[in-house]
Amino acid sequence: MSRLAPISGFPEYLPAQRAVEKRVLAILESTFELHGFASVETRAVEPISQLARKGEIDKEIYLVRRLHGDHGAEVAGDDLGLHFDLTVPFARYVVENAGRLLFPFRRYQIQKAWRGERPQEGRYREFTQADIDIVGHSALAPHHDTEVALVMVEALERLHRDLGLPPILMHANHRALVQGFYSGIGVADTLAAVQAVDKIAKIGPDGVTAMLTAQGLDEGQIAQILALASVESDGAGLAEAIGRLGIDNDDLTRGVAELTGLVEAVAAEFPGRITPDLRISRGLDYYTGAVFEIELTGMAGFPMVAGGGRYDALATDGKTTYPGVGLSFGVTRTLAPLLGRGLYTTSRPVPSAVLVAVTSEETRSQADAAASALRRRGIACEVAPAADKFGKQIKFADRRGIPFVWFIGEDGEQTVKDIRTGEQVAADPAAWEPPEVDRTVQVIRADERK
Amino acid sequence: MSRLAPISGFPEYLPAQRAVEKRVLAILESTFELHGFASVETRAVEPISQLARKGEIDKEIYLVRRLHGDHGAEVAGDDLGLHFDLTVPFARYVVENAGRLLFPFRRYQIQKAWRGERPQEGRYREFTQADIDIVGHSALAPHHDTEVALVMVEALERLHRDLGLPPILMHANHRALVQGFYSGIGVADTLAAVQAVDKIAKIGPDGVTAMLTAQGLDEGQIAQILALASVESDGAGLAEAIGRLGIDNDDLTRGVAELTGLVEAVAAEFPGRITPDLRISRGLDYYTGAVFEIELTGMAGFPMVAGGGRYDALATDGKTTYPGVGLSFGVTRTLAPLLGRGLYTTSRPVPSAVLVAVTSEETRSQADAAASALRRRGIACEVAPAADKFGKQIKFADRRGIPFVWFIGEDGEQTVKDIRTGEQVAADPAAWEPPEVDRTVQVIRADERK
């Protein structure tokens, strides 16, 4: 068997790492469902014409073709490609199924996506995204912007609280606020200015100044734009801080009110987890209201782990427009580096809480029966693969991190041994319970293992 | 937005259908984990040279290439393709990670796979498989054949019992039994004979006779082969039924003993769910012991939904051989036709058990607070998207199948209404409990809805 090296950009996990990921996904799903979001999955492929519509990531698209047989022409006259995010396929799904969905439609979607980009830490060619979106039919009230922010922050807060992942900080901006402000100071191409300011973290104020100058803006306008970008405030102080810049514009007023409401609502439930950030815009042209980016705090050099916002035309079929608001959390982007650095593991790499020992192959069926009795009450267990001495069986369990070994004596008497403490007690497989913490696999932070 | 038609062979589900699938997957996962199987996922792509090794399904492989940029050469000198099953990538994973896995290694793997074949009912180009395998280092005891059979039958039995899917029947055979018998009657190329007999359901005994004749077998041999293929017996009677054919061979004797033990063990726990079937072999050359196929009973024309068996060389790195035994259940192959025929749905297409009504936008925060209190106790709910009259709110919930509507009066008094019965009672969001059956989405068989 040749070619067994990992393929760069296509991460794979060992069982313990995968168990951490499964716990993360379960927390995301249960949070999304508690808020009424329904699960949707879309096919992995879309027609290339759909994928390439936005033009930006053309060269990262993976084309899918049959190795032999009819090359191309998978759908009449069109090739297929792997989706590079979950927004494009979801927009298509909404329009395709609009008559069978109930609006506003809340969905979450946790799936892999693929991008043929040059791999580096935090960038993957195959990666799992967890998206939530709320989509309206023709209209969608602004309070849904607050709703998706609250749901995603709650989900990520649970990852912090329950699994010990680093806490997050949501940066929130509002396109109407920023573009209204720019209009108010006489900027014609407000989108171009937004896209320049979005680069401020990378290129600094001087770089942004150069870009804005090249766009024909004067010194006074640029000073105002940089003043807005450097506003630091919580939700409550936002209106006053922006008001001091002395610009009057209807979109600005509406944007300030919406962003203030959103930030205050999230901060009320999750203090310290959200901040207005008037610099971010996620570059793209389709956001029209709230814009979100989420960072993992205390992780220097880590990329943003989630982003999203409001788009007034997520999808359209020509007649009806479907406005939406959503957030996309990069599961692989977050976990793969944390797991790769060995920061998280599990209490054991197998689900089994109990190893049922086998003393001779003739009595294996007794061991099987004990295991069945335990499983009927939801206790994961496995039966020893080979009859062996007690010491070897304990060693087998120990190597796997299985905390309990179940023994059946020659007289049929059953006992269970906690191999961590050595305590061994008589036990009935139809009644014995492990401590709750041992029932399921626990996620453990590396610094807690010491 | 153009091209919104479904793509043939790439099924997608509506939210209620996806909710059925999620319940199916949850039952499979929990059963596998109860038996100590750890979750593994592998990347979607493998080098073409790996995928094409077996040669059989070459023309069904989907090649993956970047749309622009360096064509081919994704791994040094090799192209990538989408995996067409979970066995090839798992074998590669075992060898690649052998030093970090504990053997016998039990894993389950639930993932999509892709085959570029001509679509027809029961065949999909994108489909989800649920595989379990146990892999040994150099050796693997035969009782693991029984173990994987028991685990998969238990999982599928739970789908029947808990969700009302059709009951299954496992067909079990044993390569050593059949090939030993064939050797015993002087057949040289026993594999070719096995592959001919495997077609008996399709081409009948006459067709098989023609194939065996072409292989140079004489009438007496063919009569014996057809006699073995037509043996009908339960586990207990198997040795006697085969003994009547008067053939003596060591492999035959061992195969009969192993198959008898396996069938009796499964039948003891799941009466009526397994039968010896000396005709099946799954055609392939790599099975060496137990061979399994699983049918959905009462579904005429339905393809086999699962299959697998024992292979003494699942993987090898040249020095060590890793024997394995496993079963692969076709989740999409089973569910997509059942869902497509409308045989299963859910009690509601959304997770929400409660709609919290909003009487005016000014009091939305009260509704949000009630919803948060319900969610803290694990009750999924959503808040009405728009303030509206009571009747409209009830209609909104009714269209979604949400059974309860939560009202907050002008005096702050809170009530909850079961919109199916009309009963409305005072309730505290920090204490009220819905009936257990309404807490989560239930899978419903179409014939139960009437």
Side-chain angles (χ1 to χ4, degrees):
Chain A
M1 192 168 281
S2 56
R3 299 206 173 287
L4 293 174
I7 301 179
S8 178
F10 291 84
E12 285 188 329
Y13 296 140
L14 289 167
Q17 298 173 321
R18 167 65 180 156
V20 175
E21 184 184 51
K22 274 186 68 76
R23 282 294 303 282
V24 166
L25 297 178
I27 286 174
L28 296 174
E29 291 194 359
S30 82
T31 308
F32 301 157
E33 294 192 357
L34 275 177
H35 287 266
F37 287 72
S39 173
V40 160
E41 280 198 348
T42 56
R43 61 189 186 225
V45 298
E46 299 291 334
I48 288 285
S49 60
Q50 278 289 338
L51 294 172
R53 249 172 7 112
K54 298 224 173 92
E56 302 140 22
I57 70 146
D58 248 38
K59 62 182 180 300
E60 297 175 358
I61 294 174
Y62 277 122
L63 186 70
V64 171
R65 281 190 172 167
R66 287 176 56 195
L67 182 56
H68 303 302
D70 45 303
H71 279 261
E74 284 288 345
V75 245
D78 206 343
D79 280 326
L80 299 176
L82 294 173
H83 59 218
F84 53 79
D85 71 7
L86 304 180
T87 305
V88 170
F90 176 57
R92 188 261 313 152
Y93 179 94
V94 166
V95 174
E96 189 176 321
N97 296 293
R100 297 177 286 180
L101 301 175
L102 294 160
F103 295 95
F105 178 53
R106 280 171 181 73
R107 85 84 175 78
Y108 72 90
Q109 186 168 352
I110 301 180
Q111 270 185 269
K112 294 199 171 123
W114 296 267
R115 293 191 182 196
E117 58 185 332
R118 205 159 288 282
Q120 56 189 60
E121 190 181 62
R123 294 277 169 180
Y124 298 92
R125 291 176 164 191
E126 177 174 57
F127 52 94
T128 299
Q129 293 289 115
D131 281 26
I132 55 171
D133 286 273
I134 304 176
V135 179
H137 186 280
S138 305
L140 186 71
H143 61 76
H144 293 295
D145 298 20
T146 303
E147 184 177 2
V148 295
L150 274 167
V151 173
M152 188 58 87
V153 172
E154 180 175 325
L156 302 184
E157 188 67 11
R158 280 187 60 194
L159 297 185
H160 168 56
R161 207 182 51 209
D162 297 355
L163 304 187
L165 263 64
I168 59 99
L169 178 63
M170 171 177 267
H171 298 249
N173 197 359
H174 197 290
R175 276 294 178 89
L177 185 165
V178 175
Q179 291 185 246
F181 183 94
Y182 295 178
S183 289
I185 59 171
V187 175
D189 188 349
T190 61
L191 181 62
V194 159
Q195 289 169 334
V197 172
D198 192 50
K199 298 193 169 31
I200 200 165
K202 261 190 200 159
I203 61 176
D206 291 349
V208 173
T209 298
M211 284 184 74
L212 294 176
T213 304
Q215 288 172 23
L217 273 57
D218 64 34
E219 273 182 38
Q221 288 171 320
I222 294 172
Q224 282 281 47
I225 286 175
L226 292 177
L228 183 72
S230 58
V231 162
E232 290 195 7
S233 164
D234 59 5
L238 196 61
E240 201 196 315
I242 294 173
R244 261 185 251 127
L245 302 177
I247 307 303
D248 189 30
N249 175 284
D250 285 351
D251 281 342
L252 171 62
T253 305
R254 176 174 66 85
V256 168
E258 286 186 15
L259 183 59
T260 299
L262 188 155
V263 171
E264 290 200 297
V266 174
E269 206 162 333
F270 302 100
R273 299 295 187 238
I274 187 167
T275 182
D277 182 341
L278 304 184
R279 299 174 304 174
I280 62 158
S281 71
R282 297 186 61 69
L284 307 168
D285 57 356
Y286 50 78
Y287 288 111
T288 53
V291 179
F292 309 109
E293 287 194 350
I294 296 181
E295 67 168 311
L296 225 47
T297 63
M299 303 294 295
F302 223 78
M304 291 288 175
V305 294
R310 147 81 64 154
Y311 22 75
D312 283 333
L314 167 69
T316 177
D317 58 10
K319 278 178 286 184
T320 308
T321 295
Y322 301 89
V325 61
L327 272 151
S328 178
F329 171 60
V331 178
T332 303
R333 172 185 275 221
T334 304
L335 276 185
L338 296 178
L339 294 171
R341 295 176 194 181
L343 296 180
Y344 297 86
T345 185
T346 49
S347 49
R348 52 186 188 254
V350 297
S352 308
V354 179
L355 173 76
V356 182
V358 175
T359 34
S360 73
E361 283 304 327
E362 291 67 45
T363 59
R364 175 172 293 279
S365 63
Q366 290 176 26
D368 288 337
S372 289
L374 291 168
R375 289 188 194 111
R376 269 194 288 278
R377 290 177 303 107
I379 300 165
C381 56
E382 56 192 86
V383 175
D388 227 324
K389 289 180 189 148
F390 279 18
K392 286 236 175 149
Q393 308 249 0
I394 288 170
K395 202 169 169 188
F396 181 92
D398 189 44
R399 287 185 62 203
R400 282 164 171 72
I402 300 175
F404 295 97
V405 179
W406 196 273
F407 293 105
I408 305 174
E410 280 178 29
D411 51 1
E413 199 208 359
Q414 306 202 18
T415 55
V416 63
K417 185 185 189 85
D418 183 331
I419 66 168
R420 298 160 300 189
T421 64
E423 191 191 13
Q424 186 164 359
V425 296
D428 176 357
W432 176 82
E433 286 285 339
E436 193 56 34
V437 69
D438 290 327
R439 254 193 182 258
T440 52
V441 172
Q442 304 294 314
V443 171
I444 297 173
R445 284 221 317 261
D447 50 3
E448 286 171 348
R449 265 182 304 183
K450 290 164 194 162
Chain B
M1 195 169 284
S2 57
R3 302 205 175 287
L4 292 174
I7 301 179
S8 179
F10 291 85
E12 286 188 328
Y13 296 139
L14 289 169
Q17 297 173 322
R18 167 67 180 155
V20 175
E21 184 184 48
K22 273 185 70 75
R23 281 294 304 280
V24 166
L25 298 178
I27 286 173
L28 296 174
E29 291 194 0
S30 81
T31 308
F32 300 157
E33 293 193 357
L34 273 178
H35 287 265
F37 287 72
S39 172
V40 160
E41 280 197 349
T42 55
R43 61 188 187 226
V45 299
E46 298 292 335
I48 287 285
S49 60
Q50 278 289 337
L51 294 172
R53 251 173 6 114
K54 299 228 174 86
E56 301 141 23
I57 70 151
D58 248 41
K59 62 180 182 299
E60 297 174 357
I61 294 174
Y62 278 121
L63 186 70
V64 171
R65 280 191 171 166
R66 287 176 57 195
L67 182 55
H68 303 302
D70 47 303
H71 279 261
E74 286 285 348
V75 246
D78 204 345
D79 281 325
L80 298 176
L82 294 173
H83 58 219
F84 54 79
D85 71 5
L86 304 180
T87 304
V88 171
F90 176 58
R92 189 261 313 152
Y93 179 93
V94 166
V95 174
E96 189 176 321
N97 296 292
R100 296 176 286 180
L101 301 175
L102 293 160
F103 295 94
F105 178 53
R106 283 171 177 72
R107 83 87 173 77
Y108 73 90
Q109 186 168 351
I110 301 180
Q111 272 185 267
K112 293 197 171 125
W114 294 267
R115 292 190 184 200
E117 60 186 332
R118 205 159 288 281
Q120 56 189 56
E121 191 182 61
R123 293 278 170 181
Y124 299 92
R125 292 176 164 192
E126 178 176 57
F127 52 94
T128 299
Q129 293 290 115
D131 280 26
I132 55 172
D133 286 274
I134 303 177
V135 179
H137 187 281
S138 306
L140 186 72
H143 61 76
H144 293 296
D145 297 21
T146 303
E147 184 178 2
V148 295
L150 275 167
V151 173
M152 187 59 87
V153 171
E154 179 177 324
L156 302 183
E157 188 67 11
R158 281 187 61 194
L159 298 184
H160 169 57
R161 206 181 53 208
D162 297 356
L163 304 186
L165 261 64
I168 60 97
L169 178 62
M170 170 176 269
H171 299 249
N173 197 358
H174 197 290
R175 276 293 178 91
L177 185 164
V178 176
Q179 293 185 240
F181 183 94
Y182 295 178
S183 290
I185 58 172
V187 175
D189 188 350
T190 61
L191 181 63
V194 159
Q195 288 170 335
V197 173
D198 192 50
K199 297 192 171 28
I200 200 165
K202 260 190 199 158
I203 62 175
D206 290 350
V208 173
T209 299
M211 284 183 74
L212 294 176
T213 305
Q215 289 172 21
L217 274 54
D218 65 34
E219 273 183 37
Q221 290 172 318
I222 294 173
Q224 284 279 50
I225 286 174
L226 292 176
L228 183 72
S230 58
V231 162
E232 292 195 5
S233 165
D234 58 5
L238 197 60
E240 200 196 315
I242 295 173
R244 261 184 252 126
L245 302 177
I247 306 304
D248 188 29
N249 175 284
D250 285 350
D251 282 341
L252 171 62
T253 305
R254 176 175 65 86
V256 169
E258 286 186 14
L259 184 59
T260 300
L262 188 155
V263 170
E264 290 200 296
V266 174
E269 205 163 333
F270 303 101
R273 299 294 186 240
I274 187 166
T275 183
D277 183 341
L278 305 184
R279 299 173 303 172
I280 62 157
S281 70
R282 300 186 59 70
L284 307 167
D285 57 356
Y286 49 81
Y287 288 111
T288 52
V291 179
F292 309 110
E293 288 196 347
I294 297 181
E295 69 167 311
L296 225 47
T297 63
M299 304 293 297
F302 222 79
M304 291 287 175
V305 296
R310 148 82 63 155
Y311 22 77
D312 282 333
L314 166 69
T316 176
D317 58 10
K319 277 177 287 185
T320 308
T321 295
Y322 301 88
V325 61
L327 272 152
S328 177
F329 171 60
V331 179
T332 302
R333 171 184 275 220
T334 303
L335 276 185
L338 297 178
L339 293 172
R341 295 175 194 181
L343 296 179
Y344 297 86
T345 184
T346 50
S347 49
R348 53 184 189 256
V350 296
S352 308
V354 179
L355 173 76
V356 181
V358 175
T359 35
S360 72
E361 284 303 328
E362 290 69 44
T363 60
R364 174 172 295 278
S365 63
Q366 289 177 28
D368 287 335
S372 288
L374 291 167
R375 288 187 196 113
R376 268 193 288 277
R377 289 177 305 105
I379 300 165
C381 56
E382 56 191 86
V383 175
D388 226 324
K389 287 178 192 151
F390 278 18
K392 286 238 174 145
Q393 308 247 0
I394 289 170
K395 201 168 168 187
F396 181 92
D398 189 43
R399 287 184 62 202
R400 280 164 174 72
I402 300 175
F404 294 99
V405 179
W406 196 274
F407 294 105
I408 304 174
E410 280 179 28
D411 51 1
E413 199 208 0
Q414 307 203 17
T415 56
V416 63
K417 186 186 188 85
D418 184 331
I419 66 169
R420 298 159 301 188
T421 64
E423 191 191 12
Q424 188 164 357
V425 296
D428 175 356
W432 176 82
E433 286 284 338
E436 193 55 33
V437 68
D438 290 327
R439 254 193 181 257
T440 51
V441 172
Q442 303 294 314
V443 171
I444 297 172
R445 284 222 318 262
D447 50 3
E448 286 172 347
R449 262 182 307 184
K450 287 165 194 161

